[in-house]
Every structure is written in C-alpha cells, then in structure tokens.
Amino acid sequence: MNLRIMEKEDLPLIAEWANNPDFGGEYEPLEQISRKEVEKWYDNLGSEEKWFIIEKKDGGKIGQIFHAPRGPHFLIGYRLLPSERNKGYCTEAVRIIVDYLFLSKDIVRIQADANPRNIASQRVLEKAGFKKEGLIRKDVYVRGEWKDGILYSILRDEWKEPKILPKTTS
Ligand SMILES: CC(C)(COP(=O)(O)OP(=O)(O)OC[C@H]1O[C@@H](n2cnc3c(N)ncnc32)[C@H](O)[C@@H]1OP(=O)(O)O)[C@@H](O)C(=O)NCCC(=O)NCCS
C-alpha cells in the first residue's frame, strides 16, 4: 500500500468517488458534485489541508485519506472502495498519516470522528492508537437527520515514535 498526494489529474476520479453513495457508505453525507465544483474545491484547498490517494502495490487506486488543520490540531478522514475494505489498508494509511504529521509538524494532537455505529472506522482508529474521547452531539447531517459522532484522538505522548515511516533517512 502506498499513499500518494492527490494531483489535479486525480480530480475526475475524486468526483466519481464523491458521487458514489457506496464509496462514502451509510454513515457519510450524500454528495453530488460536478467536475467544475471539484476543481474549485481543489483550487481553494488551504496549504495545510492535504488529500492522498491510497494505492495498492500494483498502482490500483482504492481510496483516499486527508488531514486538515482544526485550530492548533489536525483532523483526519478516510474512505475506501467497498471491494477493498477489511484488508487492513485503512489502518496502515492512518498509521502513515499519523507518523507523517507528528514527524513533520510541531503538533500535540490528531483527531477524527466516527458515527457511533461505524464499527469499522472506530476499529481503524483504535488499531492506530487513537483513544475515544466522547460524544459529539449533532455532529453531521446524514440522509435527513443530524447524527451524533464519537470523537477520537491520539496525542504525541501516546504515539511516542513512528510506527511505519523511518525517523531518519541515514
Ligand atoms: C471505515 C473504512 C475506511 C475502514 O477501512 P478498512 O481498510 O476496511 O479498515 P481495516 O481493514 O484497516 O480495519 C477494519 C476493522 O474493522 C472491523 N470491522 C469492519 N466491519 C465491522 C463490523 N461490522 N463489525 C465489527 N468489526 C468490523 C474489521 O474486522 C477490522 O478490524 P480487525 O482488524 O480487528 O479485524 C471503510 O470501511 C470505509 O471506507 N467505509 C466507508 C467510509 C467511512 O465510513 N469512512 C469513515 C468515516 S468516519
């Protein structure tokens, strides 16, 4: 598995994924977005918000993961093609992003939120060392209802050292 920074050439695929309700799954908001809107979104991304394509070793594109600033902290999120779930790819991707953020930025906390019924997403976070913090009331509007979320975080003190990325290049 490899993480590659999203490029402009990826935008048609990003639009295709965004418009596919199965890609987001039952706990994510429904979205229909035109190519033009995706390009505008891409052009307006802040310098600290990065989106990555999750690729298999054979180059197949199977999902996305992002990090974005939340005040002095960072938020992450992820989605995988249904056919590639439950093979450990997202846990590996989250471990890499956590290593990358703590190695590259002077931050103390990374957070994520998941629907309480989204067991797969919560397992991913727990396996990657995140801890459950509590309930976020009326977190996100999904399919006609405001849903609560569960907030997870990992602190630099708990991470301690890189799990996948090397600390030095020497
Ligand atoms: C959430 C998601 C990204 C997880 O990706 P993934 O690559 O399948 O995750 P992993 O394979 O690394 O780990 C999934 C874990 O959840 C477990 N799991 C999955 N579905 C489960 C269920 N219904 N009940 C219990 N455990 C479940 C798997 O067994 C695995 O845990 P294990 O290693 O202890 O066996 C993927 O399901 C997805 O794209 N869902 C739709 C989008 C989404 O919900 N994104 C997150 C929004 S917060």
Side-chain angles (χ1 to χ4, degrees):
M1 199 276 297
N2 185 41
L3 292 189
R4 178 179 57 71
I5 194 82
M6 178 183 70
E7 299 287 356
K8 208 155 196 167
E9 295 71 47
D10 296 310
L11 294 186
L13 181 64
I14 296 294
E16 186 190 315
W17 282 347
N19 291 328
N20 176 1
D22 292 335
F23 185 64
E26 60 185 304
Y27 308 113
E28 293 285 280
L30 284 173
E31 199 175 8
Q32 291 295 296
I33 185 163
S34 69
R35 184 80 63 83
K36 203 172 164 192
E37 287 170 313
V38 175
E39 281 171 13
K40 196 170 164 199
W41 163 79
Y42 177 83
D43 289 339
N44 289 328
L45 282 178
S47 60
E48 292 279 44
E49 177 168 353
K50 303 276 190 222
W51 287 70
F52 299 83
I53 305 291
I54 304 173
E55 290 183 343
K56 291 211 286 191
K57 293 255 183 286
D58 65 6
K61 300 170 183 57
I62 59 169
Q64 60 191 188
I65 184 164
F66 74 90
H67 66 69
R70 278 295 174 278
H73 310 303
F74 270 81
L75 167 79
I76 63 164
Y78 37 74
R79 289 178 177 182
L80 217 72
L81 286 175
S83 60
E84 300 294 341
R85 292 177 192 165
N86 292 319
K87 299 178 187 175
Y89 288 126
C90 191
T91 303
E92 193 180 352
V94 170
R95 286 186 177 133
I96 292 172
I97 287 290
V98 167
D99 281 358
Y100 169 69
L101 285 172
F102 281 136
L103 286 171
S104 63
K105 297 176 195 308
D106 185 9
I107 58 165
V108 293
R109 172 192 164 89
I110 301 166
Q111 66 192 54
D113 56 81
N115 182 293
R117 289 172 51 225
N118 193 344
I119 307 298
S121 182
Q122 292 179 69
R123 275 297 296 145
V124 164
L125 293 168
E126 283 161 6
K127 285 192 288 178
F130 284 66
K131 293 207 162 66
K132 194 189 276 193
E133 291 194 328
L135 196 69
I136 312 167
R137 296 186 298 164
K138 307 288 182 202
D139 183 32
V140 57
Y141 190 72
V142 184
R143 305 186 189 212
E145 280 179 40
W146 279 97
K147 307 274 191 191
D148 294 342
I150 297 190
L151 182 64
Y152 281 79
S153 71
I154 182 168
L155 305 181
R156 180 179 286 277
D157 288 350
E158 295 160 347
W159 168 75
K160 292 190 178 74
E161 59 180 12
K163 306 297 177 294
I164 296 184
L165 294 186
K167 204 168 182 176
T168 68
T169 51
S170 57

